[in-house]
């Protein structure tokens, strides 16, 4: 039985890897590695748009809104992972995924209505093709409310992209091997979402210097990480870090400010609150 490639798959064949099946394992991996290195370069022209997404998302969160990341299939899995890593147990950044309804436009609308998505929230859609009905429905709902809408996609001319005011569509070229589920696109999605999540964490005061300071002591592992972060940020001993955390009800940012300024927990907490939780700004205002 002969299985013919469709025209679209033929168009996606990589002209430089036609003989990849004849290479040694090492040479094959070199080809793959060299091609993967081009993904980062392809994202470079998108940086201005990515920056705009981060700034608007930060403004959305500062006004009490949410960043809702939507996606179906593998894109939905990436969206969920990024949201979970950004703020475990919290909801300023959340993912809504298609589950089994990715073929339903109406389900996309209903799933957004179920979380009471409103005009003060922001949507970031993740869709390689930009043609998934569920994603299109969710975006259409957000668009109809006048909410900020952004999309990470492989097709800047897709139906979904037309509903976004911010389109991140790196030109990635063909995959090394045609027929897999958009390997390059998946890698690019993860890289871009990671940039957005990290940038948003910095812009919302969850980072001091280059340390994550929004950690919660939800278990022993995270409690130990809190101690390590306070020690590193404050240049103090383990005993000093533990004491500051205990007196601040294990609030990592408050403990760091206490160590750096000598303030007690109440005054450090108040100073942080007055400066929207930004440690660096609070330090400038410290007596």
């Amino acid at each position: 039985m002969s299985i013919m490639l469709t025209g679209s798959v033929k168009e996606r064949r990589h002209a430089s890897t036609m003989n990849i099946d004849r290479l040694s394992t090492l040479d094959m991996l070199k080809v793959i590695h060299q091609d993967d290195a081009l993904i980062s370069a392809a994202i470079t022209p998108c940086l201005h748009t990515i920056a705009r997404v981060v700034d608007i998302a930060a403004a959305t969160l500062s006004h009490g809104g949410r960043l809702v990341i939507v996606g179906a299939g593998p894109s939905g899995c990436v969206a969920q992972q990024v949201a979970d890593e950004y703020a475990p147990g919290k909801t300023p950044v959340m993912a809504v995924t298609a589950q089994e309804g990715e073929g339903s436009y109406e389900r996309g609308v209903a799933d957004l209505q179920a979380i009471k998505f409103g005009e003060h929230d922001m949507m970031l859609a993740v869709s390689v093709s930009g043609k998934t009905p569920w994603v299109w429905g969710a975006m259409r709902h957000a668009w109809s409310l006048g909410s900020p809408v952004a999309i990470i996609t492989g097709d800047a001319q897709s139906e979904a992209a037309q509903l976004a005011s911010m389109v991140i569509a790196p030109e990635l070229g063909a995959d090394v091997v045609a027929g897999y589920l958009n390997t390059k696109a998946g890698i690019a999605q993860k890289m871009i979402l990671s940039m957005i999540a990290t940038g948003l964490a910095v812009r919302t005061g969850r980072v001091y210097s280059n340390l994550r300071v929004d950690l919660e002591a939800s278990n022993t592992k995270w409690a130990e990480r809190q101690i390590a972060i306070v020690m590193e940020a404050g240049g103090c001993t383990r005993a000093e870090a533990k004491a500051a955390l205990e007196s601040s009800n294990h609030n990592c940012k408050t403990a760091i400010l206490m160590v750096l300024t000598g303030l007690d927990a109440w005054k450090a907490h108040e100073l942080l609150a007055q400066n929207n939780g930004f440690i660096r700004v609070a330090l400038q205002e410290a007596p």
Side-chain angles (χ1 to χ4, degrees):
M1 179 178 176
S2 175
I3 301 176
M4 299 296 292
L5 290 174
T6 65
S8 61
V9 172
K10 286 182 179 179
E11 290 169 5
R12 292 198 302 268
R13 291 187 69 187
H14 199 305
S16 300
T17 61
M18 296 293 189
N19 295 315
I20 194 170
D21 58 333
R22 301 175 64 182
L23 299 178
S24 69
T25 301
L26 179 58
D27 287 340
M28 172 188 68
L29 294 177
K30 286 180 179 179
V31 168
I32 296 171
H33 181 59
Q34 289 168 358
D35 200 64
D36 283 348
L38 300 177
I39 298 173
S40 181
I43 293 173
T44 300
C46 303
L47 288 177
H48 286 288
T49 305
I50 295 171
R52 187 176 168 218
V53 170
V54 171
D55 286 340
I56 293 177
T60 297
L61 267 58
S62 71
H63 290 96
R66 298 168 293 176
L67 174 63
V68 179
I69 311 174
V70 300
S75 295
C77 292
V78 175
Q80 187 68 62
Q81 181 182 7
V82 169
D84 289 345
E85 290 176 351
Y86 178 82
K90 298 181 180 180
T91 58
V93 175
M94 63 182 296
V96 178
T97 60
Q99 304 299 328
E100 297 178 356
E102 63 183 68
S104 171
Y105 171 94
E106 292 76 13
R107 180 68 178 272
V109 175
D111 286 346
L112 264 289
Q113 291 173 333
I115 64 164
K116 295 181 171 59
F117 185 95
E119 62 186 55
H120 299 297
D121 295 322
M122 175 179 175
M123 173 174 289
L124 173 58
V126 188
S127 174
V128 175
S129 69
K131 298 177 181 178
T132 305
W134 182 92
V135 174
W136 198 80
M139 291 182 68
R140 180 82 182 187
H141 181 67
W143 175 84
S144 70
L145 296 172
S147 302
V149 179
I151 187 170
I152 302 170
T153 183
D155 185 358
Q157 305 303 317
S158 65
E159 292 93 331
Q162 305 308 308
L163 294 171
S165 58
M166 294 162 282
V167 179
I168 303 169
E171 297 182 7
L172 300 169
D175 283 324
V176 169
V177 175
Y180 286 103
L181 293 177
N182 301 293
T183 305
K184 273 186 178 178
I187 295 171
Q189 282 180 354
K190 291 177 183 178
M191 292 175 68
I192 295 167
L193 282 170
S194 178
M195 291 172 67
I196 291 172
T198 302
L200 187 56
V202 173
R203 286 289 167 261
T204 55
R206 294 174 179 270
V207 174
Y208 169 64
S209 183
N210 61 352
L211 299 170
R212 179 180 178 181
V213 293
D214 66 335
L215 303 177
E216 295 186 359
S218 55
N219 55 44
T220 302
K221 179 182 74 173
W222 287 101
E224 285 297 317
R225 288 186 180 181
Q226 271 197 336
I227 294 170
I229 289 291
V230 175
M231 289 174 64
E232 183 66 26
C236 63
T237 66
R238 179 180 175 86
E240 291 171 325
K242 286 187 67 176
L245 284 165
E246 288 170 3
S247 62
S248 65
N249 195 27
H250 295 278
N251 184 289
C252 194
K253 290 200 281 188
T254 301
I256 291 170
L257 193 60
M258 289 170 63
V259 171
L260 290 174
T261 63
L263 294 171
D264 62 30
W266 176 256
K267 290 181 179 178
H269 176 77
E270 285 294 302
L271 188 58
L272 272 172
Q274 292 167 13
N275 291 281
N276 299 314
F278 285 82
I279 292 176
R280 195 174 294 280
V281 181
L283 283 171
Q284 296 173 352
E285 301 294 327

